[in-house]
């Protein structure tokens, strides 16, 4: 607990305590079974919502918790100590809810936020396509204006929560090529023309579904558009700044859990007449793991504060934090597996699941290669 709560306010300490209790009581005991059975525990997500964890960033007057990004990274790190997969989905769900609160009008907020904040309705974010991943501005899903309606046609790929979620924030092209021709829409699962691909067979994140979202002539009234025409790419990227922090925080939580499990294992395990924990070489490995997590945590919190204060450098800092924390979390988890020896490779110890879950964090919400592009662009743009 101490690694997660350094230099926090009293309110944040209380938030961390409540969230940690939930993670250890409702997530951790079931995480392996959910992974093995590919079970999406919607009932448990609704229990998290009862604690205010499904509308973390939504303003209180709209049914949310009204918390800051600095609070949010604490929430998602702590949840991920119980299960990175469920914590990761909750980060995405909260991104969707925030986007509707931030960019929606009063009618849209009233229509969708109560259900999202209570998790009676789950949310999914639809940007990536089969041919447009890192180059998101090249998306091909179209929204053709027909009077006071739009008709959406296209396919979205790798959509977390797809099929189970009731609300989808979808980016579609309403104009010319490039980012300026993209608009954002809210699509509902029951809209005619919406269907889903099979649940993908994945390396990790098995406790949440990942499917294609297929839009076959989905006819939406114009009041389903979020923001103005052409604002979609800006809305999408704005959402991703917070989403990247959420996934970075989930990597910290998974890495911290792996470190904690390693400490317990090495304290209990003996070899060559002494505890493994007393071996200096292994102590040094643990020290490096703890140091790297602390450094990543500091960067994530710096980026969260920048986003909270509207710092112009916030997008760059979010990219830095996402890249560094997701690389660090995975590296720490992999080191923990090595420290467990053969037992780390067995599913019952939970380490290999953390490794599998954290690996995708280096890809989603923008690959870490794209994070480097964002950072480099910020460093060099004044020299062009």
């Amino acid at each position: 607990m101490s690694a997660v709560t350094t230099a926090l306010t009293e309110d944040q300490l209380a938030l961390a305590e409540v969230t940690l209790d939930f993670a250890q009581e409702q997530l951790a005991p079931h995480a392996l079974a959910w992974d093995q059975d590919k079970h999406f525990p919607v009932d448990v997500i609704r229990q998290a919502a009862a604690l205010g964890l499904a509308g973390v960033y939504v303003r209180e007057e709209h049914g949310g918790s009204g918390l800051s990004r600095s609070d949010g990274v604490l929430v998602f790190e702590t949840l991920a100590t119980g299960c990175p997969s469920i914590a990761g989905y909750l980060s995405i769900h909260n991104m969707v809810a925030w986007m509707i609160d931030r960019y929606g009008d009063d009618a849209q907020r009233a229509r969708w936020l109560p259900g999202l904040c209570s998790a009676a309705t789950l949310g999914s974010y639809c940007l990536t396509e089969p041919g447009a991943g890192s180059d998101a501005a090249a998306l091909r899903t179209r929204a053709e204006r027909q009077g006071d309606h739009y008709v959406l046609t296209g396919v979205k790929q790798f959509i977390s929560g797809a099929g189970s979620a009731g609300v989808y924030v979808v980016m579609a092209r309403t104009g010319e090529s490039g980012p300026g021709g993209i608009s954002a829409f809210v699509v509902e699962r029951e809209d005619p023309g919406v269907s889903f691909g099979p649940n993908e067979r994945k390396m990790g994140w098995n406790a949440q579904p990942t499917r294609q979202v297929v839009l076959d002539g989905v006819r939406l009234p114009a009041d389903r558009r979020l923001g103005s025409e052409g604002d979609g790419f800006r809305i999408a990227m704005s959402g991703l700044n917070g989403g990247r922090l959420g996934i970075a925080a989930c990597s910290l939580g998974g890495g911290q859990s792996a470190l904690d499990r390693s400490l317990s294992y090495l304290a209990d395990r003996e070899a060559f007449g002494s505890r493994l924990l007393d071996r200096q070489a292994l102590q040094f490995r643990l020290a490096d793991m703890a140091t790297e997590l602390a450094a990543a945590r500091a960067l994530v919190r710096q980026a969260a504060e920048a986003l909270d204060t509207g710092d112009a450098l916030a997008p760059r800092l979010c990219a830095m934090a996402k890249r560094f924390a997701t690389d660090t979390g995975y590296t720490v988890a992999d080191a923990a597996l090595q420290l467990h020896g053969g037992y780390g490779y067995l599913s019952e110890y939970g380490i290999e699941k953390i490794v599998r879950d954290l690996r995708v964090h280096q890809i989603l919400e923008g690959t870490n290669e794209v994070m480097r592009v964002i950072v480099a662009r910020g460093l060099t743009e004044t020299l062009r």
Side-chain angles (χ1 to χ4, degrees):
M1 185 72 173
S2 60
V4 191
T5 58
T6 304
L8 300 180
T9 66
E10 288 187 9
D11 286 346
Q12 287 175 325
L13 286 169
L15 177 64
E17 183 176 359
V18 169
T19 309
L20 185 63
D21 286 345
F22 179 83
Q24 296 308 309
E25 293 172 9
Q26 304 300 329
L27 300 183
H30 311 291
L32 284 176
W34 292 339
D35 176 75
Q36 291 166 358
D37 297 340
K38 295 181 171 55
H39 174 66
F40 188 37
V42 174
D43 57 333
V44 177
I45 291 172
R46 289 179 179 148
Q47 292 176 39
L51 298 175
L53 303 182
V56 172
Y57 310 118
V58 173
R59 286 168 287 184
E60 291 182 89
E61 59 264 36
H62 299 143
S65 299
L67 299 181
S68 67
R69 297 293 177 175
S70 296
D71 298 327
V73 295
L74 174 63
V75 164
F76 294 115
E77 175 177 356
T78 309
L79 283 174
T81 64
C83 178
S85 176
I86 297 305
Y89 174 73
L90 274 167
S91 172
I92 294 167
H93 172 90
N94 274 278
M95 178 172 65
V96 169
W98 176 83
M99 291 169 74
I100 292 174
D101 186 30
R102 173 67 179 79
Y103 295 103
D105 58 30
D106 287 341
Q108 291 170 331
R109 295 187 192 102
R111 177 170 180 170
W112 291 302
L113 289 181
L116 290 169
C117 290
S118 68
T121 302
L122 300 181
S124 289
Y125 176 79
C126 299
L127 177 63
T128 299
E129 298 182 1
S134 294
D135 186 9
L139 64 83
R140 301 179 66 179
T141 295
R142 294 207 61 85
E144 298 286 351
R145 187 73 185 247
Q146 295 183 0
D148 57 356
H149 286 74
Y150 288 90
V151 178
L152 275 63
T153 302
V155 178
K156 296 296 181 178
Q157 182 78 22
F158 303 131
I159 306 305
S160 295
S164 296
V167 168
Y168 301 80
V169 173
V170 175
M171 307 306 155
R173 188 164 301 286
T174 52
E176 71 279 3
S177 62
I182 296 171
S183 300
F185 298 87
V186 181
V187 175
E188 295 182 342
R189 180 177 53 203
E190 292 78 15
D191 288 330
V194 175
S195 63
F196 306 96
N199 194 4
E200 302 285 2
R201 298 172 63 185
K202 310 187 295 287
M203 175 179 175
W205 268 32
N206 289 316
Q208 56 166 290
T210 302
R211 294 184 170 94
Q212 284 187 338
V213 175
V214 181
L215 307 164
D216 184 10
V218 179
R219 186 174 178 82
L220 301 178
D223 64 8
R224 294 286 199 92
R225 192 186 67 229
L226 202 58
S228 300
E229 273 202 13
D231 282 349
F233 192 76
R234 178 177 63 86
I235 292 172
M237 295 302 105
S238 179
L240 282 177
N241 286 330
R244 285 163 182 162
L245 289 182
I247 292 303
C250 290
S251 291
L252 295 176
Q256 186 66 49
S257 178
L259 173 58
D260 292 343
R261 291 168 190 244
S262 298
L263 284 164
S264 297
Y265 176 80
L266 296 179
D268 292 339
R269 181 82 171 173
E270 291 190 1
F272 305 106
S274 64
R275 295 189 312 167
L276 290 178
L277 190 61
D278 297 326
R279 300 285 172 147
Q280 190 176 66
L282 301 184
Q283 290 177 352
F284 283 1
R285 190 71 176 271
L286 293 167
D288 284 344
M289 293 160 70
T291 301
E292 289 155 13
L293 283 172
R297 185 174 294 114
L299 182 54
V300 169
R301 291 185 182 174
Q302 180 188 5
E305 182 177 359
L307 203 55
D308 283 332
T309 59
D311 191 320
L313 293 180
R316 189 193 311 178
L317 287 168
C318 290
M320 287 180 176
K322 193 272 180 182
R323 200 287 297 168
F324 189 67
T326 57
D327 282 351
T328 297
Y330 178 75
T331 300
V332 167
D334 189 58
L337 192 154
Q338 188 71 21
L339 289 172
H340 278 72
Y343 293 104
Y345 207 65
L346 302 181
S347 63
E348 65 190 271
Y349 281 77
I351 296 294
E352 60 87 30
K353 176 191 179 295
I354 296 174
V355 172
R356 290 187 288 105
D357 281 348
L358 296 193
R359 181 60 184 86
V360 75
H361 293 195
Q362 297 169 295
I363 298 171
L364 54 82
E365 310 290 41
T367 67
N368 284 2
E369 290 74 19
V370 169
M371 298 305 99
R372 291 178 172 91
V373 170
I374 293 170
V375 175
R377 185 180 295 146
L379 292 173
T380 61
E381 61 186 3
T382 59
L383 302 177
R384 293 174 185 168

